[in-house]
């Protein structure tokens, strides 16, 4: 009986030992299976450089951590760090590059995973018409200086009375003026400093200033008239012996002109640049000769008057005496004027023989007197003789016919 119990116990212990060893072996097998099952082969591609790593990590982040690969928030990791990985998965990492960029005059650092200038421009989202310091195809690794980008900006400029809108990618206000060919004077004022950066929507006002504007004004100086008594002219007669000429005065003004409006006008100089010439006017003072009293003679008997040669005519009397009696001229004067050698009725004919002023002057009577009635009978007859030589007695048609002269 005891032997049977011992055998049972021994058999049980052997079974327990064998079962324990089986369990241990099973655990080892299961562990090995789990190890083999969790170990993965992953392809890492960093900036184009590929390598294979063995890892037990279940996510991209765990794989990178187990592989001692550090990434920043600016690096591009595909798939994402939280994504699960499987054996044979590939992880793509593109390192971000820090690029110094001057955007519209402001310094900034752009972290990009792109490889060219065009990639940076696209990431920034600037307009295609922006001004860029390097070609879009330029690789970032070849940049030797900061990348300058200037976007198009719409700016209004008011100058010389008009307002215009300019769209430009230049950097500063002065650059815009140069581009638009707007020339500033030394004293002109601009609403902002010309060194200011150009920004979209900016309004600029240019005020033109000329603090030394000069204007020359010419004024006329009227001439004056001096009257000079002249005893060679009859009373009532006047004659200009020297023509008057206006003079000239030149004034120079200085003023401050702001946008075409004159301010603070002052007289700088006032000079007579041309002296006027005084007019000289001769005033007649000679009294006219008194008219002789008309002679009263009886009417001659009607008879035909024979014209005698001039030598038979009586010689002219003094300047104020009566005409010689008898003769054709005396008869003609009697018919024309009643024998009044100083008559002036205002009808345009003068003296005993009734000369018109043009006939008198044309025959040379002006050497005796301005008008016939102011000359002596003898001077009138002498002038009539000259007139008669050109036209005969026809100068006195009515009376010469009546007297039978011809």
């Amino acid at each position: 009986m005891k032997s049977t119990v011992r055998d049972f116990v021994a058999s049980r212990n052997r079974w327990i030992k064998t079962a324990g060893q089986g369990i241990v072996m099973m655990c080892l097998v299961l562990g090995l299976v789990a190890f083999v099952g969790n170990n993965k082969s992953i392809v890492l591609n960093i900036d184009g450089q590929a390598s294979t790593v063995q890892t037990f990590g279940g996510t991209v982040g765990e794989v990178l951590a187990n592989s001692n690969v550090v990434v920043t928030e600016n690096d591009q990791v595909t798939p994402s760090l939280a994504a699960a990985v499987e054996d044979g998965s590939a992880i793509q990492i593109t390192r971000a590059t820090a690029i110094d960029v001057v955007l519209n005059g402001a310094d900034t650092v752009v972290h990009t995973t792109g490889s060219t200038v065009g990639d940076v421009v696209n990431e920034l989202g600037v307009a295609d018409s922006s001004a860029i310091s390097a070609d879009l195809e330029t690789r970032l690794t070849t940049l030797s200086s900061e990348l300058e980008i200037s976007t198009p900006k719409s700016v209004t400029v008011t100058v010389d009375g008009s307002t215009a809108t300019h769209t430009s990618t230049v950097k500063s206000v002065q650059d815009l003026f140069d581009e638009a060919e707007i020339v500033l004077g030394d004293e002109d004022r601009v609403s902002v400093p010309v060194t200011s950066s150009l920004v979209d929507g900016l309004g600029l006002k240019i005020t033109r200033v000329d603090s030394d504007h000069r204007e020359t004004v010419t004024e006329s100086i009227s001439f004056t008239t001096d009257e000079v008594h002249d005893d060679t002219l009859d009373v009532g007669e006047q004659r200009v012996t020297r023509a008057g000429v206006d003079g000239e005065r030149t004034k120079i003004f200085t003023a401050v002109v702001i946008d075409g409006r004159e301010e603070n006008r002052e007289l700088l100089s006032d000079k007579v640049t041309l002296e006027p010439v005084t007019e000289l006017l001769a005033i007649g003072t000679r009294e006219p000769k008194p008219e002789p009293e008309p002679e009263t003679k009886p009417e001659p008997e009607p008879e035909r008057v024979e014209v005698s040669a001039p030598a038979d005519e009586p010689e002219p009397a003094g300047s104020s005496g009566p005409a010689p009696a008898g003769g054709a001229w005396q008869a003609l004067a009697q018919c024309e004027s009643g024998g009044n050698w100083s008559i002036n009725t205002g009808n345009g004919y003068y003296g005993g023989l009734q000369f018109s002023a043009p006939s008198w002057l044309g025959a040379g009577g002006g050497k005796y007197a301005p008008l016939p009635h102011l000359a002596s009978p003898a001077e009138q007859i002498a002038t009539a003789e000259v007139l008669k030589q050109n036209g005969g007695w026809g100068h006195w048609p009515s009376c010469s016919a009546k007297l039978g002269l011809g």
Side-chain angles (χ1 to χ4, degrees):
M1 183 69 178
K2 291 182 179 178
S3 176
T4 302
V5 171
R6 283 196 300 268
D7 291 341
F8 173 75
V9 171
S11 176
R12 186 187 64 180
N13 290 338
R14 284 195 300 272
W15 181 84
I16 292 173
K17 181 179 180 181
T18 301
Q21 290 175 344
I23 291 172
V24 171
M25 183 61 70
M26 183 179 294
C27 289
L28 291 174
V29 172
L30 291 175
L32 179 60
V33 171
F35 174 80
V36 174
N38 289 331
N39 187 31
K40 305 175 185 66
S41 179
I42 305 296
V43 177
L44 283 180
N45 191 324
I46 302 175
D47 290 335
Q49 299 295 322
S51 63
T52 302
V53 297
Q54 299 296 325
T55 180
F56 293 101
T59 65
V60 172
E62 292 173 350
V63 172
L64 296 181
N66 293 337
S67 302
N68 297 320
V69 176
V70 179
V71 293
T72 68
E73 61 181 354
N74 298 311
D75 295 336
Q76 182 179 350
V77 180
T78 306
S80 66
L81 295 175
V85 294
E86 297 177 356
D87 185 42
S89 296
I91 300 174
Q92 179 76 32
I93 300 174
T94 303
R95 299 289 191 187
T97 303
I99 304 297
D100 292 327
V101 177
V102 179
L103 180 60
N104 292 328
D107 293 331
T108 186
V109 177
V110 175
H111 296 274
T112 179
T113 57
S115 59
T116 66
V117 170
D119 295 333
V120 175
V121 172
N122 290 334
E123 289 181 24
L124 292 175
V126 298
D128 294 338
S129 56
S130 300
I132 304 171
S133 62
D135 293 336
L136 295 178
E137 296 77 13
T138 303
R139 299 195 65 80
L140 298 178
T141 55
T142 64
L143 288 178
S144 60
S145 60
E146 58 191 8
L147 181 64
E148 296 185 21
I149 302 175
S150 181
T151 59
K153 292 164 280 290
S154 181
V155 179
T156 59
V157 180
T158 300
V159 60
D160 298 329
S162 62
T163 300
T165 300
H166 301 265
T167 300
S168 177
T169 59
V170 296
K171 299 177 183 178
S172 68
V173 172
Q174 183 61 63
D175 293 336
L176 175 67
F177 291 162
D178 294 341
E179 182 180 73
E181 297 183 351
I182 298 174
V183 180
L184 296 178
D186 294 338
E187 299 178 303
D188 291 346
R189 305 168 188 165
V190 185
S191 55
V192 300
V194 295
T195 56
S196 301
S197 297
L198 212 61
V199 295
D200 190 49
L202 180 65
L204 300 173
K205 172 68 170 68
I206 299 175
T207 302
R208 299 294 193 187
V209 179
D210 183 0
S211 63
D212 192 26
H213 175 74
R214 298 198 178 196
E215 180 182 359
T216 300
V217 177
T218 301
E219 298 176 353
S220 177
I221 303 175
S222 300
F223 65 83
T224 58
T225 300
D226 286 349
E227 296 182 353
V228 180
H229 292 167
D230 190 336
D231 58 6
T232 65
L233 299 177
D234 291 338
V235 173
E237 286 189 86
Q238 297 181 352
R239 184 170 62 203
V240 175
T241 60
R242 186 177 71 187
V245 178
D246 287 341
E248 187 177 87
R249 179 187 302 277
T250 301
K251 296 180 178 179
I252 299 178
F253 294 89
T254 182
V256 175
V257 177
I258 300 178
D259 275 346
R261 295 191 304 273
E262 192 176 88
E263 299 181 5
N264 301 326
R265 182 182 178 93
E266 295 180 359
L267 180 62
L268 189 63
S269 68
D270 183 359
K271 296 181 181 179
V272 176
T273 49
L274 180 64
E275 293 287 348
V277 177
T278 302
E279 178 188 65
L280 296 181
L281 181 64
I283 306 297
T285 59
R286 183 179 64 188
E287 295 292 338
K289 299 176 181 178
E291 298 183 359
E293 292 293 331
E295 296 181 3
T296 304
K297 295 183 179 181
E299 292 291 331
E301 293 293 331
E303 60 177 342
R304 183 179 180 83
V305 178
E306 296 293 337
V307 178
S308 58
D312 296 334
E313 292 181 1
E315 293 294 329
S319 62
S320 60
W329 293 115
Q330 181 62 38
L332 188 60
Q334 187 65 37
C335 176
E336 292 284 347
S337 63
N340 185 354
W341 293 89
S342 60
I343 190 171
N344 178 11
T345 62
N347 65 351
Y349 296 93
Y350 309 89
L353 300 175
Q354 291 292 280
F355 288 93
S356 67
S359 296
W360 171 259
L361 297 175
K367 64 183 178 181
Y368 302 121
L371 291 173
H373 69 287
L374 301 177
S376 68
E379 292 168 342
Q380 294 183 44
I381 291 173
T383 304
E385 288 286 1
V386 175
L387 186 63
K388 176 173 167 287
Q389 291 175 6
N390 183 18
W393 297 102
H395 292 289
W396 300 271
S398 177
C399 285
S400 64
K402 185 184 296 184
L403 296 175
L405 302 175

